[in-house]
Amino acid sequence: MKIDFLASESVTEGHPDKICDQISDAILDAYLRKDPLSRVACECLIAGDKLVIAGEITSKAKVDVEKIARGVIKNIGYDDVKKGLDYRTVKIHVFLNSQSPDIAMGVSKNDPLDQGAGDQGMMYGYATNETKTLMPLPIFLAHNLARKLAEVRKSKKLKFLGPDGKTQVTMEYHDGKPVRIQNILISTQHSDDVTTETIRKALIKEVIMPVIPKKMMDKNTDIFINPTGRFVIGGPAGDSGLTGRKIIVDTYGGLAKHGGGAFSGKDPSKVDRSAAYAMRWAAKNLVASGLADKAEVKVAYAIGMAKPLAFNVNTFGTGKLPDDQIAKIMNEVFDFRPASIIKELKLLQPIYLPTASYGHFGRTDIKLPWEETNRAKKLASYLK
């Protein structure tokens, strides 16, 4: 029997990197709401009480990006410098230009379906039947812990919690199947007047026990709460943040490959985002169809070209057909040209802010088009 220990982490919406992701996607949504054909590449940097918003935006819309940024920071819960940031006093610097005409020339075509990829690169998608959402169990649980951590803070059930926090789950696998949790780690910002033991007891009762299946824990499962013993200084006061620096949190928790491109702040003409969503859609439908128990799919593009340069499938030996045959079937069922992806997944909608925290895949709290299994039946027909 092969035994592996696989860990995945998540972060709360108050993490400095996630502050930046959310501001970038809130700005993107604002432009798409007014002009669905907006071209947006918006990134943020936050440190202390200073926020920089920069990038390239070409749009008919007029958007007050500073107002949007302050609104995001307020909604997260940063309303006092004692927490690490105050939405009212943060100093915002905006540096936004138009999209390069050299890039625009490659992306825009007379025939909409010939729209070229916004950049070169490769994108991966992954799915596994170890959870109902077809996500790896460690990242699924880590996200749920992080979301619960934010929930008990915002509801004031645990008033001593601050917005910044991280979670991590290490799962023990036997022959590729999750069997038990080895350890759980939560690091959370807190007020200065609460003891470590109080935090520990409260998080076990209000966060861990409601989220983690009891059958996955045993007497040897370790629980670590704020291992340093203190996490009062958090948010941008404790660490700088940057858009696109949590790409593993955003995807599959390290249990699948990543092409390297971040998602937040990018309109769907950027295949870093749209093709990664399409690959998740493809992988999820492949597993949902019964053609494989788990699958990783990969696509590659050249800037300005619509047709992918390559497409591969890896079912890790779980496929009901050979991987190369499944890849051929996938190309018959899906159209991976960027414009087709945008059309099929309805990506010109302002739907991106909610994805900027707690993962872009496997969500059950929001409805996302790339999580639909609307091609599974067609794929399953190839088994007959």
Side-chain angles (χ1 to χ4, degrees), residues 151-326:
E151 179 186 310
V152 297
R153 169 180 63 88
K154 290 183 171 182
S155 69
K156 301 191 184 306
K157 179 173 281 190
L158 299 182
K159 296 182 180 180
F160 55 79
L161 293 180
D164 197 355
K166 303 179 78 172
T167 65
Q168 188 168 288
V169 175
T170 303
M171 187 74 58
E172 182 176 337
Y173 281 75
H174 292 178
D175 292 330
K177 301 291 185 181
V179 296
R180 62 177 292 273
I181 293 173
Q182 175 73 1
N183 54 64
I184 298 167
L185 168 61
I186 299 179
S187 294
T188 180
Q189 186 184 8
H190 58 86
S191 60
D192 199 17
D193 58 352
V194 62
T195 67
T196 301
E197 186 57 29
T198 297
I199 297 170
R200 178 181 175 82
K201 288 181 179 178
L203 291 192
I204 290 175
K205 178 183 178 182
E206 303 294 347
V207 177
I208 293 175
M209 298 313 296
V211 168
I212 302 297
K214 291 182 180 179
K215 65 180 181 179
M216 300 302 293
M217 298 176 65
D218 56 36
K219 63 181 180 179
N220 295 317
T221 299
D222 292 315
I223 296 176
F224 303 103
I225 307 292
N226 284 3
T228 66
R230 181 179 171 87
F231 189 178
V232 174
I233 300 172
D239 191 11
S240 61
L242 188 67
T243 299
R245 201 159 57 180
K246 284 290 176 283
I247 58 176
I248 299 303
V249 171
D250 286 343
T251 53
Y252 307 101
L255 275 70
K257 297 186 185 71
H258 194 296
F263 303 154
S264 291
K266 297 177 181 177
D267 76 84
S269 73
K270 282 75 171 173
V271 284
D272 277 342
R273 180 165 222 158
S274 54
Y277 289 170
M279 291 302 99
R280 164 61 178 171
W281 181 44
K284 187 173 184 179
N285 276 270
L286 173 54
V287 172
S289 74
L291 275 171
D293 293 334
K294 63 179 177 179
E296 181 183 81
V297 297
K298 174 187 176 183
V299 70
Y301 294 92
I303 188 170
M305 294 177 62
K307 187 177 179 179
L309 300 180
F311 177 75
N312 305 99
V313 173
N314 182 2
T315 63
F316 308 94
T318 70
K320 305 301 187 293
L321 298 171
D323 287 353
D324 58 346
Q325 187 176 342
I326 292 176

Side-chain angles (χ1 to χ4, degrees), residues 112-113 281 334-345:
L113 285 177
W281 181 44
F334 295 92
D335 183 349
F336 294 127
R337 290 178 296 173
S340 179
I341 292 171
I342 291 169
K343 180 181 178 182
E344 290 289 340
L345 298 181

Side-chain angles (χ1 to χ4, degrees), residues 45-52 70 73 80-81 84-93 234-240:
L45 164 67
I46 195 164
D49 65 345
K50 297 176 178 63
L51 169 67
V52 176
R70 293 189 191 278
I73 295 169
D80 191 327
V81 291
L85 189 64
D86 189 328
Y87 73 94
R88 290 163 293 211
T89 59
V90 60
K91 299 175 181 65
I92 300 177
H93 307 275
D239 191 11
S240 61

Side-chain angles (χ1 to χ4, degrees), residues 19 22-31 33-34 51 53 62-75 87 92 353:
I19 297 172
Q22 289 168 89
I23 292 171
S24 294
D25 272 338
I27 291 170
L28 169 63
D29 280 352
Y31 275 100
R33 197 170 285 114
K34 294 182 178 181
L51 169 67
I53 302 172
K62 300 296 181 183
V63 170
D64 187 342
V65 297
E66 181 175 328
K67 182 179 179 181
I68 289 172
R70 293 189 191 278
V72 169
I73 295 169
K74 178 182 179 182
N75 289 337
Y87 73 94
I92 300 177
L353 175 57

